[in-house]
Amino acid sequence: MFNTKRWVDLCEQTYGYESCVKRGKNCDIFYAKIINDVGTYIVAPPFGDCISLEPRHFPDLERFTASLPDLAIQLKICSKVDPKIDNVIVEDGGFVHAIEYDSYDDWNRNKIKCKFRNQVNQGARSGLRVRVSREKEDIVSFWETHAKLRTNKFGEIPQPRQFFLNIHKAYFEEDKGFLIGAYDQNSNLVAGIVVLLEEQIAYYKFAASQPAFLALRPNNLLIDRLIAYLDKEGVRKLNLGYTGSSDQYRGLRKYKLSAGAIEMPRRILKTHPYASLNMERVEEINCQVLEFTRRSPSMGEVDQFSEKCYSYFV
């Protein structure tokens, strides 16, 4: 999904990176070329979890890095086999989780853990309403929930509002994505998932929830209703995205596995010029983010700050 012109163009429209592609014999590699005060470098995929590759794609990957020997390159890939490419450093990059099922009933009976099923039932009894939407106002509402969660709970900033509006235009308006949300009795968004579609695979790209409602298990309920909806649409795979391998991610990893996911290791590939980038500039931005979020900024201030700074986190 992320190794596509649609995704890389979206990043170009939001952040001004140069959208590029390297054509290969077995696979094309779509990437962003970034020029800023960190340096000149390439990222594939920009703001995406990974590129899924098979061993037959590795020669194209090697030709790609060899064609740009003086440029710093970072690639995030998922493969059952570790790539061995000359002059490229391979690092652990956590995991990517995905749920595969023959039907909703197959998932519900055979894939999920008992505790997860109980929490789905708890969510179903909570009185929350679940609906699928492609409306612009709903993704804006989601962005606000997402932004508040990142700033208030994690001391981080979200991608700017315009990034989500660009997702709406590139994916929602083209029937390649939607928001599935859980709403309270006053129609307020309690939790939501931004889902993108590519080649009969659904991608769980963003999720956010209001902490005050977590006891109602809205996230478990949304996964259940999402898989039921995808099953009716003929989609039999839900990619749950990146999960880190550190202790910080232990709870998230356990949650995804309890939902019936399988995991695949992710690898970060870097060429040697990557070490010469001015990463001190990124550290300075991180310090500014920490100071900014401590001030309890308004959503308007968060959006302006994200417009200014988030491009450094590609």
Side-chain angles (χ1 to χ4, degrees):
M1 205 284 300
F2 302 110
N3 190 36
T4 60
K5 186 176 187 301
R6 184 188 303 271
W7 180 259
V8 178
D9 283 355
L10 183 151
C11 295
E12 179 183 66
Q13 291 160 11
T14 307
Y15 298 107
Y17 310 139
E18 182 182 352
S19 173
C20 307
V21 61
K22 174 68 173 178
R23 302 294 180 186
K25 292 182 178 179
N26 292 308
C27 75
D28 300 330
I29 299 174
F30 291 87
Y31 63 94
K33 183 177 181 182
I34 300 104
I35 302 174
N36 57 25
D37 44 359
V38 173
T40 300
Y41 51 108
I42 283 169
V43 176
F47 295 117
D49 296 324
C50 68
I51 298 172
S52 295
L53 297 177
E54 300 175 8
R56 63 189 178 89
H57 299 137
F58 292 167
D60 287 323
L61 195 63
E62 187 161 15
R63 282 188 286 269
F64 170 63
T65 57
S67 69
L68 300 165
D70 300 323
L71 270 183
I73 301 173
Q74 184 195 75
L75 298 151
K76 294 166 281 185
I77 75 161
C78 250
S79 175
K80 294 180 180 179
V81 179
D82 283 350
K84 295 180 180 179
I85 298 173
D86 290 341
N87 300 314
V88 170
I89 301 165
V90 180
E91 300 176 351
D92 171 58
F95 303 95
V96 171
H97 289 88
I99 304 171
E100 298 186 42
Y101 46 89
D102 294 330
S103 66
Y104 169 77
D105 287 341
D106 170 53
W107 172 77
N108 189 37
R109 293 177 181 176
N110 304 319
K111 304 290 185 179
I112 63 175
K113 304 296 185 184
C114 182
K115 183 178 179 180
F116 192 94
R117 185 182 293 106
N118 290 339
Q119 290 171 339
V120 169
N121 293 335
Q122 184 179 343
R125 293 192 300 268
S126 68
L128 296 175
R129 295 183 301 104
V130 175
R131 63 180 172 87
V132 170
S133 172
R134 293 179 174 83
E135 298 299 321
K136 184 183 294 187
E137 63 183 22
D138 287 323
I139 199 168
V140 170
S141 177
F142 172 85
W143 177 84
E144 292 173 352
T145 301
H146 172 67
K148 289 174 183 176
L149 185 68
R150 287 184 69 89
T151 54
N152 297 338
K153 182 177 180 179
F154 300 109
E156 300 173 348
I157 57 174
Q159 301 223 33
R161 187 195 314 254
Q162 189 60 49
F163 184 77
F164 286 82
L165 292 175
N166 289 343
I167 284 178
H168 180 270
K169 183 176 181 180
Y171 288 90
F172 286 24
E173 290 185 2
E174 300 297 325
D175 287 331
K176 285 188 169 290
F178 55 86
L179 172 74
I180 184 167
Y183 297 82
D184 66 14
Q185 294 180 352
N186 296 316
S187 298
N188 297 310
L189 181 67
V190 168
I193 304 170
V194 173
V195 181
L196 306 180
L197 302 168
E198 186 72 33
E199 295 183 351
Q200 291 300 106
I201 299 174
Y203 291 81
Y204 174 116
K205 181 53 183 151
F206 295 100
S209 54
Q210 294 191 40
F213 288 85
L214 289 179
L216 300 182
R217 304 297 180 186
N219 297 312
N220 301 74
L221 178 64
L222 283 177
I223 290 289
D224 178 84
R225 299 300 189 261
L226 173 57
I227 291 180
Y229 176 81
L230 293 174
D231 181 33
K232 291 179 181 177
E233 296 294 310
V235 177
R236 303 287 189 265
K237 183 174 181 178
L238 173 60
N239 185 305
L240 296 177
Y242 163 75
T243 311
S245 54
S246 66
D247 287 345
Q248 174 186 352
Y249 290 91
R250 182 179 298 172
L252 179 59
R253 188 178 176 191
K254 183 178 179 181
Y255 170 78
K256 291 181 178 181
L257 291 173
S258 70
I262 57 173
E263 63 182 16
M264 182 179 292
R266 188 181 77 152
R267 299 288 181 252
I268 307 296
L269 279 56
K270 297 178 181 177
T271 58
H272 291 286
Y274 200 87
S276 64
L277 293 177
N278 180 23
M279 299 310 292
E280 291 182 1
R281 177 57 178 149
V282 179
E283 293 175 7
E284 290 173 3
I285 297 294
N286 278 322
C287 290
Q288 292 176 22
V289 168
L290 187 59
E291 293 177 6
F292 173 77
T293 56
R294 284 174 175 168
R295 302 203 314 258
S296 299
S298 68
M299 286 299 95
E301 291 172 328
V302 169
D303 191 33
Q304 290 179 358
F305 190 87
S306 295
E307 287 273 8
K308 178 183 176 182
C309 296
Y310 205 91
S311 63
Y312 286 96
F313 302 136
V314 63

